[in-house]
Amino acid sequence: MLDLLWLVPAIPFASALALAVLRFPRKIVAWIAVCSIAASTVVSLLVTASFLSAPPTANAYTQVLWTWLNVGGFRPEIALYLDPLSLIMMVVVAFVSFLIHLYSTEFMIDDDGYSRFFAYMNLFVASMLTLLLADNLLLLYLGWEGVGLCSYLLIGFWYRDPVNGLAGRKAFIVTRVGDTAMVIGLFLLFHDLGTLNIQQLMLRAPQQWHIGSGAAIAAAFLLLGGAVGKSAQLPLQTWLPDAMAGPTPVSALIHAATMVTAGVYLIARTHVLYSLAPSAQFAVAVVGAATLLIAGFSALTQWDLKRVLAYSTISQIGYMFLALGVGAWPAAIFHFMSHAFFKALLFLAGGVVIKALDDEHNIFRMGGLRKRLPVAFWTFLIAGCSLAGLPLITAGAFSKDWIIWGALSAAHGSPGLWIVALVGVLLTSLYTFRMIFLVFFGEAHTQVTRKPGNAMLIPCIVLAFLSIAGGYLKTPFARFLETTLPWDGGTGVVPASEIGSEVIAFLVLLLGLYLAYLFFLRKKAYATTLVSSAVGSGVHRFWFSDWGMDWLYDRVLVRPLVWFARVDKGDFIDGFYTGVGRVNEIAWRGLSRTETGRLRWYAAGIAAGSIIFIAVVLFL
């Protein structure tokens, strides 16, 4: 069965091509799009069953399809690599993508670009699977840019609205900043280590670079730049909230299964490099800690349901970066899995609400939907509790508590990072239950105009189950990953036990729940008074604007660049090419005067030219 691995990305690629070049009725489009991802999921499960029942040598399997290039000893291959890390992410991405595609068949049914939408979605999934299964960093980068292209196409899917087109361009350009750093990192790795094969790199790096080596630090920081861009981490996080301009299923796919988790995978896959570069690994932890706080505060001020969830994603990816930075590698990947379940569910259940209220996004215009949309309420509640980390019964609690404990006890953990992680719990609980109370409780402000069908409800129910049951896989998950991503359960003397850390996290969650209940359900006047004050209003505007990051970029980068372009447009280089153009214009004007329409002059000119040409040949 392992020989079928190539079909996992190939099937969605083929269906994307078919949907892009051929025209089908809507029902056929839906069948092709959904069945292709379903087939990819089934193949991935068959491959997983074969991998588990008869593990390959060294617990890894490589499938070489063909040699991509062969230039001067550089021979990257189109080859797939399967180990516990790529296997887990492959299965999660394929299965969650299938549920999102099924949901989309109903959500997008009235859209004119139905076939185009599913062609982009299939290509998105195929690119992400290529990224995850790539045997070398060059093929990984192909998938990396593929998801970047698809994000641009899907975020700006409704391109007739200029705002949507701008959001798509913003995502594309901002992530290109990180991608540029990543490309330079690939050149550095190949120059120093002579290969881009990931496993060979991980073997050669410790042999040629010592811990703290300048080359190792540079390579790790450059790869971190790429990860920060794709995963929307500080300071390149500004594109993700604006990406909510795309259809809701696109948001679910970007946040839960593709795109933003690519950076987490890249760092986990190249963790050996970060072990050789302690300063870069510490930077990963700092970036994650800072991002989870900044995004958490921003989420508290948003009124658009999808933008709240967008900042939530930025914050949760921050938790994953924090885990990677302290050396709790499996905890980061486990949180990726649980996050894929509950974040996809939050967007899909939120999409049910938005669709039912005739495209209403403002949470302050919702309310009272608990009984009118019961499936959306219960599934959203389950996902919200998992996001907040309600212990014992939600997957998010298992993974987040693991990260919080790792922030204290792991090799590079510290009490400071542990406290930051706990503050993140408070913020997450506060903005999550703020959403739940405003959307589903209190008075109704907008009438329900549409009820969801089974294609939208079934994925929500399945994801709700996984948002609960997925957490109980923690122990087998850790054992399965230990050959790829080691975890020693914590090192050194710490001021609290793992159980104590989990109890404290639960108490912090309850505090956030109580504050959300007080400010947004029981005594809404408290929140109004707080925001209306001079200080509260200023802080609210600052957090709402993503801490002024767009304002800062506009003045530090965009405006100076535009000014320089205007000043530089008349430089001597332009003058040279303008001169060449003027010479051609003068020559044209001179030659055009010979076009008199007099045939005798034309004949005389041809004769004279022929005589001159013959004379040159004979005498010169």
Side-chain angles (χ1 to χ4, degrees):
M1 287 296 182
L2 293 179
D3 293 339
L4 300 178
L5 181 61
W6 66 277
L7 289 173
V8 175
I11 294 173
F13 269 128
S15 60
L17 179 62
L19 293 173
V21 301
L22 301 175
R23 292 187 178 182
F24 299 103
R26 287 179 181 251
K27 288 186 178 180
I28 302 299
V29 168
W31 274 100
I32 292 174
V34 175
C35 289
S36 64
I37 306 301
S40 182
T41 303
V42 170
V43 173
S44 69
L45 292 174
L46 292 175
V47 169
T48 300
S50 178
F51 191 96
L52 295 176
S53 60
T57 304
N59 216 28
Y61 170 74
T62 300
Q63 185 178 40
V64 179
L65 301 177
W66 66 84
T67 298
W68 190 357
L69 300 172
N70 189 356
V71 181
F74 179 50
R75 298 181 69 254
E77 297 171 323
I78 302 296
L80 307 179
Y81 181 79
L82 191 69
D83 68 349
L85 173 59
S86 56
L87 185 146
I88 288 171
M89 297 198 72
M90 172 188 70
V91 172
V92 173
V93 167
F95 183 68
V96 173
S97 298
F98 161 68
L99 294 176
I100 294 172
H101 273 71
L102 176 61
Y103 177 97
S104 301
T105 58
E106 180 181 340
F107 188 92
M108 299 294 294
I109 191 63
D110 297 325
D111 199 278
D112 293 336
Y114 197 70
S115 182
R116 176 169 59 93
F117 173 82
F118 281 108
Y120 293 164
M121 291 281 279
N122 278 193
L123 183 60
F124 207 168
V125 176
S127 298
M128 186 66 185
L129 291 170
T130 301
L131 186 159
L132 296 175
L133 294 172
D135 176 65
N136 61 80
L137 288 178
L138 189 60
L139 183 58
L140 183 150
Y141 187 71
L142 177 66
W144 188 274
E145 291 301 330
V147 297
L149 170 65
C150 293
S151 68
Y152 162 73
L153 295 172
L154 286 166
I155 292 168
F157 181 77
W158 290 318
Y159 58 87
R160 290 183 177 86
D161 186 342
V163 174
N164 298 338
L166 180 61
R169 293 195 298 275
K170 182 177 182 180
F172 192 79
I173 293 170
V174 172
T175 54
R176 291 293 76 71
V177 175
D179 293 353
T180 302
M182 181 178 174
V183 169
I184 298 172
L186 298 189
F187 279 114
L188 174 61
L189 289 170
F190 181 74
H191 178 270
D192 280 23
L193 303 179
T195 183
L196 288 179
N197 180 279
I198 298 174
Q199 303 312 311
Q200 292 181 19
L201 282 173
M202 298 306 104
L203 289 174
R204 294 182 187 182
Q207 296 171 358
Q208 299 187 32
W209 292 339
H210 59 80
I211 296 177
S213 164
I217 292 173
F221 268 108
L222 288 168
L223 294 183
L224 174 59
V228 162
K230 271 292 185 290
S231 292
Q233 295 294 282
L234 193 71
L236 300 179
Q237 83 283 9
T238 58
W239 67 269
L240 191 57
D242 290 350
M244 298 304 95
T248 297
V250 173
S251 303
L253 195 62
I254 290 176
H255 290 248
T258 63
M259 191 71 170
V260 296
T261 57
V264 176
Y265 174 76
L266 177 65
I267 295 176
R269 175 55 73 197
T270 58
H271 69 279
V272 173
L273 291 179
Y274 289 90
S275 299
L276 297 172
S279 58
Q281 187 171 354
F282 178 71
V284 174
V286 171
V287 166
T291 304
L292 73 89
L293 290 181
I294 288 174
F297 283 116
S298 292
L300 284 173
T301 63
Q302 305 300 313
W303 54 264
D304 187 312
L305 178 59
K306 288 175 64 177
R307 287 182 72 91
V308 178
L309 296 176
Y311 280 108
S312 163
T313 297
I314 296 173
S315 182
Q316 296 307 302
I317 299 293
Y319 270 108
M320 299 178 207
F321 269 64
L322 174 59
L324 295 170
V326 300
W329 310 103
I333 303 304
F334 191 54
H335 195 54
F336 149 77
M337 185 183 75
S338 65
H339 179 264
F341 298 148
F342 67 69
K343 185 52 60 69
L345 177 54
L346 284 168
F347 272 107
L348 298 188
V352 171
V353 172
I354 291 170
K355 202 79 168 177
L357 300 184
D358 196 21
D359 204 36
E360 178 60 70
H361 287 244
N362 193 332
I363 58 177
F364 292 100
R365 295 176 184 170
M366 297 179 182
L369 298 176
R370 180 164 50 95
K371 294 182 179 179
R372 291 184 292 167
L373 296 172
V375 175
F377 165 67
W378 285 109
T379 55
F380 196 96
L381 179 63
I382 291 170
C385 290
S386 189
L387 169 62
L390 186 66
L392 299 179
I393 61 172
T394 63
F398 286 92
S399 59
K400 189 178 292 185
D401 285 343
W402 195 1
I403 291 175
I404 295 170
W405 171 239
L408 180 65
S409 66
H412 302 285
S414 68
L417 293 175
W418 180 67
I419 291 173
V420 169
L422 289 175
V423 174
V425 172
L426 176 64
L427 294 174
T428 304
S429 176
L430 188 52
Y431 68 67
T432 299
F433 289 104
R434 169 181 178 260
M435 275 192 302
I436 292 171
F437 291 144
L438 290 176
V439 172
F440 295 102
F441 291 83
E443 297 180 2
H445 299 287
T446 305
Q447 294 301 314
V448 173
T449 60
R450 179 175 177 174
K451 294 286 187 176
N454 290 331
M456 292 176 67
L457 294 180
I458 291 174
C460 293
I461 294 170
V462 173
L463 288 169
F465 171 77
L466 293 174
S467 296
I468 295 174
Y472 296 98
L473 298 175
K474 176 183 174 180
T475 299
F477 185 96
R479 291 175 180 171
F480 183 59
L481 268 182
E482 63 184 1
T483 57
T484 304
L485 295 176
W487 166 252
D488 56 14
T491 59
V493 178
V494 293
S497 65
E498 184 172 4
I499 297 297
S501 176
E502 293 175 356
V503 170
I504 294 172
F506 177 53
L507 294 176
V508 172
L509 181 151
L510 291 179
L511 175 60
L513 171 59
Y514 173 74
L515 291 176
Y517 169 75
L518 181 65
F519 281 92
F520 301 106
L521 188 60
R522 184 176 180 181
K523 299 287 185 180
K524 293 184 179 181
Y526 289 176
T528 303
T529 302
L530 184 62
V531 174
S532 300
S533 66
V535 175
S537 177
V539 171
H540 185 278
R541 287 196 303 270
F542 184 57
W543 289 349
F544 183 83
S545 66
D546 197 6
W547 297 60
M549 293 297 294
D550 282 324
W551 179 90
L552 180 65
Y553 286 151
D554 183 60
R555 281 154 181 79
V556 174
L557 298 175
V558 177
R559 292 189 182 185
L561 184 61
V562 172
W563 174 84
F564 180 77
R566 289 174 178 169
V567 171
D568 191 54
K569 69 180 181 180
D571 61 11
F572 73 94
I573 297 177
D574 288 335
F576 171 77
Y577 288 107
T578 301
V580 172
R582 291 289 174 83
V583 169
N584 280 277
E585 183 181 353
I586 293 171
W588 168 78
R589 291 185 184 280
L591 291 172
S592 66
R593 293 181 182 276
T594 65
E595 301 292 330
T596 62
R598 299 175 181 177
L599 294 179
R600 286 180 295 175
W601 281 102
Y602 292 167
I606 293 172
S610 299
I611 293 170
I612 292 171
F613 177 76
I614 294 171
V616 169
V617 172
L618 292 177
F619 299 106
L620 297 179

